[in-house]
Amino acid sequence: MLKHEEDRRIYERSARLILLLALRDICPGAAVRIEHSIGQGVYMDVTGVSMTAALVRRIEKRMHEIAAQDLPITKSRWTREQAVAYFKQQGQEDTVRLLAYRPFEHFDVYTCDGLSEYFYGDMAASTGAIQSFALRFYYPGMVLLLPGDDLTGPPAPFAERPQLMRTYAEANENSRILQCESAADLNDIIAGGDARTFIRVSEALQDRAIAQIADRIVARGARVVFIAGPSSSGKTTFANRLSIQLRVSGKRPVAISLDNYYRNREDVPLGPDGKPDLECLESIDVPLFNEQLIDLLDGREVEVPKYSFYTKRREPQGKRMQVSHDDILIVEGIHGLNDKLSADIPSELKYRVYVSALTQLNLDCHNRIRTTDVRLMRRMVRDHRTRATSALETMQMWDKVREGEEKYIFPFQERADVMFNTSLLYEIAVLKKYAYPMLHGIGKDSPYYTRSRRLCKFLHYFKDLSDEDEIPPTSILREFIGGCTFYDE
């Protein structure tokens, strides 16, 4: 999967370059901002021109013409002065500001058909290597659709994600409130000595959002809250903070770990690799979970199982539990949004929360920051601190984790009643101090060298943020860097 993932990124970057060439030819003067992924595509906003479906079709047609011409994409090394002069002339002030913070005097720039662009990763050798793509109008912008698993196959069909788009729109609004939409904006804040206030407001925005979710849960009269999301999204800290807000509303939240309902290892279905598939729903004793959930909601005492990850079996004795009719059960687990997990519970008693770190910060208008990269760095930092796991070991398991997310989490995200974004605009500047030395230690002989080199290059764009004492002990970021008062550390 590693080679496929890095190849896919090369493919996407090269397709974006072809798009920029097409925009230059069809809409001179238009400016595009690459926003975020949506399904197998990338959403982008275009200013300086009124976008219509007909115009998008013209741009797509031009893109295919450029791909058919098989134009060479050449890499050359420019000095900082050359790069700044060129991008100033192009009106790309965000790139000019970004380059000012990178701690090198030379930059690798890619050029095709007279257009030069700065990307933080390798590119295809020519436009002819990028044949499978489509462009779709999606008000107010457009979506660049890319192939699925097979990069030579047809572009994946467009999959509308209204919940996800609303969550990103809210994230962008927070960016505007904080006046921080790019890496250069964040660096300016840090360099200007305003990081402490920035951290406080960032955390306050998350506090407000969590309080609003708690209010909705209480207003609905929900008795069970399911929290699901991909790895390293901060689900556990979110659950604790949500519990606090529910207590403010007079409720008594009670946590149930779905991990305790794992079947004994010999009863877990095998995956395609012949090993137990701990990510699949069938690895959970769903009938027992539903039975005990109903008993708890009816006020009956149950013995919740206790699973040992050491023996890979349930322990002989579980934990006795009973709740009152005013209590709210909080269940955290990757299958929380899957209806099959709680099929016996009426919908009106359930409230589903999808938690993910949806990074809203861009490097510049043409280089987005992938949510996956930030989550990987979060996990690297946490695993190194709590399990003495190296960056290499985390990367070795990461691809398997990602496969499980694609299969068991992302397809259900739109079923959530609400999405919560755990990303913090300042976090990359904090994670850099921890993640960079770990990544830099991965040698050229490692199969993960390309990925580590790309992430190191990405981190070069950010100034270090040293005001860690200002990060609250209940911050989601504390789950990864340490100092969280919700856990015994």
Side-chain angles (χ1 to χ4, degrees):
M1 183 175 177
L2 174 62
K3 186 176 187 298
H4 165 73
E5 177 65 20
E6 294 304 320
D7 285 347
R8 183 171 183 79
R9 290 173 185 245
I10 292 172
Y11 196 100
E12 182 195 315
R13 284 191 291 268
S14 304
R16 295 201 319 254
L17 177 57
I18 293 174
L19 172 65
L20 293 174
L21 286 165
L23 276 171
R24 180 197 64 181
D25 297 342
I26 301 297
C27 311
V32 63
R33 177 181 169 87
I34 311 297
E35 293 281 356
H36 54 78
S37 61
I38 175 170
Q40 296 285 4
V42 182
Y43 176 77
M44 55 199 70
D45 186 46
V46 182
T47 56
V49 64
S50 179
M51 296 302 295
T52 64
L55 179 58
V56 170
R57 286 193 294 270
R58 287 179 58 203
I59 297 169
E60 180 187 13
K61 181 173 181 290
R62 180 59 186 146
M63 287 180 68
H64 283 292
E65 292 171 351
I66 293 169
Q69 290 175 331
D70 196 21
L71 302 172
I73 301 174
T74 59
K75 181 170 72 172
S76 54
R77 180 149 290 191
W78 291 10
T79 64
R80 187 190 302 273
E81 290 74 18
Q82 283 177 291
V84 167
Y86 175 81
F87 290 114
K88 268 189 177 179
Q89 185 183 29
Q90 297 295 310
Q92 294 175 225
E93 289 298 325
D94 57 329
T95 304
V96 171
R97 293 171 58 221
L98 180 70
L99 295 178
Y101 280 107
R102 196 161 183 267
F104 300 102
E105 292 302 320
H106 293 84
F107 306 89
D108 289 333
V109 176
Y110 289 91
T111 302
C112 182
D113 195 27
L115 179 70
S116 295
E117 275 298 327
Y118 183 57
F119 294 100
Y120 78 102
D122 296 332
M123 302 283 284
S126 68
T127 61
I130 312 300
Q131 293 291 332
S132 178
F133 57 82
L135 208 58
R136 188 188 193 280
F137 176 59
Y138 190 60
Y139 182 83
M142 57 184 178
V143 177
L144 175 62
L145 295 169
L146 300 169
D149 292 336
D150 182 0
L151 291 176
T152 63
F158 176 71
E160 192 169 13
R161 301 280 191 267
Q163 284 259 46
L164 183 66
M165 293 298 289
R166 281 195 295 272
T167 306
Y168 269 117
E170 291 167 2
N172 288 336
E173 178 60 26
N174 287 346
S175 295
R176 285 187 282 272
I177 290 173
L178 290 160
Q179 298 181 309
C180 184
E181 299 183 58
S182 69
D185 290 338
L186 177 59
N187 289 336
D188 287 348
I189 290 167
I190 295 171
D194 297 323
R196 288 176 175 266
T197 298
F198 186 78
I199 291 171
R200 292 169 189 158
V201 179
S202 298
E203 296 287 345
L205 286 168
Q206 282 200 344
D207 277 338
R208 183 178 68 179
I210 295 172
Q212 290 170 344
I213 293 172
D215 290 343
R216 293 173 197 163
I217 292 169
V218 173
R220 176 180 290 190
R223 295 288 313 283
V224 187
V225 178
F226 292 95
I227 299 172
S231 174
S232 304
S233 292
K235 297 184 292 295
T236 304
T237 302
F238 167 80
N240 278 286
R241 286 173 64 174
L242 178 63
S243 295
I244 292 173
Q245 292 296 339
L246 288 170
R247 286 181 178 274
V248 170
S249 299
K251 299 296 181 179
R252 191 174 75 91
V254 179
I256 294 181
S257 174
L258 203 57
D259 287 350
N260 284 322
Y261 288 88
Y262 267 123
R263 298 182 183 274
N264 293 335
R265 186 59 56 91
E266 65 268 21
D267 298 325
V268 173
L270 302 181
D273 58 0
K275 298 178 181 179
D277 185 358
L278 297 176
E279 306 292 320
C280 71
L281 180 63
E282 291 72 23
S283 67
I284 302 293
D285 191 342
V286 175
L288 176 63
F289 175 74
N290 276 266
E291 177 186 326
Q292 292 198 338
L293 211 54
I294 290 171
D295 284 341
L296 286 168
L297 293 176
D298 281 343
R300 292 188 288 270
E301 185 181 60
V302 302
E303 184 177 328
V304 175
K306 186 175 182 181
Y307 185 84
S308 169
F309 283 93
Y310 178 73
T311 64
K312 299 178 176 56
R313 299 180 60 82
R314 287 184 195 163
E315 295 186 356
Q317 188 171 357
K319 176 184 178 182
R320 307 300 300 182
M321 179 181 289
Q322 188 174 17
V323 299
S324 73
H325 288 285
D326 289 330
D327 294 340
I328 295 178
L329 297 170
I330 296 184
V331 182
E332 179 196 331
I334 67 170
H335 298 291
L337 305 184
N338 189 335
D339 290 331
K340 294 180 180 178
L341 176 69
S342 55
D344 296 340
I345 308 301
S347 295
E348 62 268 22
L349 296 182
K350 296 185 283 193
Y351 196 89
R352 299 182 179 93
V353 185
Y354 177 77
V355 176
S356 190
L358 303 174
T359 308
Q360 62 265 48
L361 202 66
N362 269 26
L363 286 179
D364 61 17
C365 284
H366 297 167
N367 287 280
R368 68 188 180 104
I369 296 173
R370 286 175 174 259
T371 291
T372 304
D373 287 342
V374 179
R375 288 196 294 113
L376 173 57
M377 287 190 291
R378 279 182 170 189
R379 179 150 181 168
M380 282 171 39
V381 171
R382 182 185 61 194
D383 286 1
H384 179 72
R385 178 178 60 83
T386 61
R387 303 176 185 175
T389 303
S390 68
L392 183 59
E393 290 171 312
T394 299
M395 286 190 181
Q396 286 170 340
M397 68 178 73
W398 184 246
D399 294 328
K400 188 70 174 176
V401 169
R402 293 278 292 113
E403 287 177 10
E405 293 171 353
E406 294 287 347
K407 191 173 181 180
Y408 300 117
I409 299 178
F410 297 145
F412 300 97
Q413 63 184 12
E414 287 294 322
R415 298 185 185 181
D417 293 292
V418 69
M419 289 186 178
F420 178 76
N421 183 14
T422 66
S423 177
L424 290 155
L425 285 167
Y426 69 84
E427 72 175 277
I428 297 173
V430 176
L431 290 171
K432 177 183 176 181
K433 178 176 71 175
Y434 301 93
Y436 186 85
M438 298 169 63
L439 291 164
H440 200 260
I442 296 177
K444 293 184 178 180
D445 58 339
S446 169
Y448 299 94
Y449 175 72
T450 299
R451 177 184 287 172
S452 63
R453 183 188 64 176
R454 173 175 54 77
L455 290 172
C456 281
K457 186 175 181 180
F458 157 70
L459 289 171
H460 285 154
Y461 297 105
F462 291 89
K463 289 182 67 66
D464 293 339
L465 197 160
S466 57
D467 297 305
E468 282 190 32
D469 58 324
E470 195 62 37
I471 302 173
T474 57
S475 170
I476 282 168
L477 189 55
R478 288 288 181 191
E479 182 174 329
F480 305 97
I481 66 172
C484 182
T485 52
F486 289 128
Y487 320 109
D488 295 327
E489 296 186 340

